[in-house]
Amino acid sequence: MSDHDGPPPRRARHGPRVGVVGAGALGYHHIRLLRDLPGVQFAGFYELRPERARAVATELSVTAFTSYGELLDAVDALTIVVPTSAHYDVARAALECGRHVLIEKPLAATVEEADGLLAAARRSGVLIQTGHVERFNRAVRAALPLVDGPRFIESDRLAPFTPRGADVAVVLDLMIHDIDLVRTLMPERVRDVAAVGVPLLTSSVDIANARLTFASGAVANITASRVSRERLRKIRIFQPSGYLTLDLAAGSGEFYRLRREVDLAALAREGRPIEIDAFVERVPLEAPDGEPLKLELESFAASVRGEQEVTVTGEDGRDALAIALRIVGEIERPLSVATP
């Protein structure tokens, strides 16, 4: 039995029953937000560590189930916030029971596991959403309507070391966010991958750089590090009409676009230095404010209710994972050759 009073909650008229698997640092915030989210009935959560489960249940005044099976019986949908190595087993059990799932990134540990989850969802007729939360970043939401045929994207994501996520390479821990964003901005086939990286604090790669070349010839240069003294999450998008610079940490950005009325050839003929403001217009990017994780959970709930399509599909998560693992392979090849 779970530690709540009475039987598991029944389906509420105002929305599906939703639960959380995993109450670690990120799972805690899933629980905090879903508890008060309109349009759903929060059933509770399951956490493998009893002491952690009791602490979170007490602090947030929510139900902690004592087994995963009991939670599955009490919900229509789940968010899965467990270590990557457990994603496949936890999600597969939910999908086979006909439960919709939001799986935190990366979708799975291997492409084969990801394909297995997608197949299970198709058999059960349920939804998979991948937890690429940067899609809901205010700066990204503001920039997307202005993106038009990027030719070059440069992305930097630096963070201090933390044990959370250190069980996988930084490519799967941090860079995969930007891989998904790049795929969103340039939805083309990745033709070539070149990558370098080194392990510094763990046995996995802790700092990495990847250069992705797309079928059209467009290029994305992505850097991720978890050995930085400061946090940085920035992306720049260069396209024929100008370029966008996004500060993902601040949720802000600007679009520097060419002034249509300016004759650059005429300015060049003058033979003197040209101030950038003479031919470039600065446009601040604007979008409604909102906590990205809350927006992500709202989108998942709306999809479960049948009100909209899934924003970040399981297929999106599978494709980002495939590119990330390709990058890891490119990095590990010279490392393995150098190992005596």
Side-chain angles (χ1 to χ4, degrees), residues 16-64:
R17 302 166 300 167
V18 181
V20 177
V21 187
L26 181 56
Y28 173 92
H29 292 292
H30 277 242
I31 296 165
R32 171 181 64 84
L33 292 167
L34 283 167
R35 177 192 62 179
D36 302 320
L37 198 69
V40 302
Q41 179 184 3
F42 183 63
F45 72 97
Y46 171 67
E47 163 60 44
L48 188 62
R49 299 164 294 171
E51 290 185 3
R52 175 64 177 174
R54 285 193 293 270
V56 172
T58 299
E59 182 176 346
L60 297 179
S61 299
V62 293
T63 297

Side-chain angles (χ1 to χ4, degrees), residues 150-156 175 177-196 208-224 234-238 323 327:
R151 302 302 300 156
F152 180 70
I153 295 178
E154 187 169 35
S155 175
D156 294 288
M175 186 184 283
H177 282 297
D178 304 297
I179 293 169
D180 177 70
L181 286 181
V182 165
R183 285 192 64 258
T184 303
L185 297 166
M186 288 197 292
E188 308 171 18
R189 179 180 61 85
V190 174
R191 188 182 67 203
D192 298 311
V193 173
V196 293
N209 173 264
R211 180 182 176 89
L212 307 181
T213 303
F214 292 81
S216 66
V219 170
N221 188 58
I222 310 174
T223 299
K234 291 190 175 182
I235 186 167
R236 292 189 294 170
I237 306 155
F238 297 84
I323 295 171
I327 291 169

Side-chain angles (χ1 to χ4, degrees), residues 128-161:
I128 294 180
Q129 179 166 322
T130 310
H132 285 295
V133 71
E134 291 285 35
R135 292 269 199 108
F136 300 89
N137 188 292
R138 184 183 183 187
V140 174
R141 289 185 283 116
L144 280 174
L146 299 171
V147 173
D148 183 18
R151 302 302 300 156
F152 180 70
I153 295 178
E154 187 169 35
S155 175
D156 294 288
R157 183 177 296 262
L158 313 179
F161 180 77

Side-chain angles (χ1 to χ4, degrees), residues 30-290:
H30 277 242
I31 296 165
R32 171 181 64 84
L33 292 167
L34 283 167
R35 177 192 62 179
D36 302 320
L37 198 69
V40 302
Q41 179 184 3
F42 183 63
F45 72 97
Y46 171 67
E47 163 60 44
L48 188 62
R49 299 164 294 171
E51 290 185 3
R52 175 64 177 174
R54 285 193 293 270
V56 172
T58 299
E59 182 176 346
L60 297 179
S61 299
V62 293
T63 297
F65 286 83
T66 57
S67 78
Y68 182 34
E70 288 181 349
L71 177 61
L72 281 177
D73 288 340
V75 300
D76 305 299
L78 286 169
T79 70
I80 296 174
V81 200
V82 298
T84 302
S85 59
H87 281 190
Y88 178 73
D89 289 338
V90 172
R92 183 184 62 179
L95 294 168
E96 290 177 349
C97 289
R99 307 299 187 256
H100 306 287
V101 295
L102 185 157
I103 307 172
E104 271 298 338
K105 60 79 193 168
L107 183 65
T110 68
V111 173
E112 292 74 21
E113 287 184 354
D115 287 338
L117 295 179
L118 295 176
R122 288 192 292 269
R123 288 194 299 269
S124 296
V126 293
L127 306 175
I128 294 180
Q129 179 166 322
T130 310
H132 285 295
V133 71
E134 291 285 35
R135 292 269 199 108
F136 300 89
N137 188 292
R138 184 183 183 187
V140 174
R141 289 185 283 116
L144 280 174
L146 299 171
V147 173
D148 183 18
R151 302 302 300 156
F152 180 70
I153 295 178
E154 187 169 35
S155 175
D156 294 288
R157 183 177 296 262
L158 313 179
F161 180 77
T162 174
R164 184 176 69 83
D167 58 322
V168 295
V170 71
V171 177
L172 294 168
D173 178 23
L174 298 180
M175 186 184 283
I176 197 165
H177 282 297
D178 304 297
I179 293 169
D180 177 70
L181 286 181
V182 165
R183 285 192 64 258
T184 303
L185 297 166
M186 288 197 292
E188 308 171 18
R189 179 180 61 85
V190 174
R191 188 182 67 203
D192 298 311
V193 173
V196 293
V198 292
L200 293 174
L201 301 178
T202 72
S203 58
S204 300
V205 171
D206 294 311
I207 181 169
N209 173 264
R211 180 182 176 89
L212 307 181
T213 303
F214 292 81
S216 66
V219 170
N221 188 58
I222 310 174
T223 299
S225 169
R226 58 187 177 201
V227 292
S228 174
R229 295 186 61 183
E230 59 183 1
R231 294 186 181 276
L232 177 72
R233 291 156 52 205
K234 291 190 175 182
I235 186 167
R236 292 189 294 170
I237 306 155
F238 297 84
Q239 56 192 35
S241 60
Y243 77 92
L244 299 100
T245 176
L246 312 182
D247 185 334
L248 302 182
S252 61
E254 295 176 324
F255 182 25
Y256 293 88
R257 64 186 177 192
L258 296 175
R259 296 182 184 275
R260 296 179 180 177
E261 70 278 8
V262 173
D263 185 343
L264 284 177
L267 289 174
R269 285 194 296 271
E270 294 181 10
R272 58 182 176 80
I274 307 171
E275 293 292 334
I276 192 170
D277 289 343
F279 58 91
V280 171
E281 177 186 14
R282 173 183 169 274
V283 181
L285 301 182
E286 300 289 344
D289 201 3

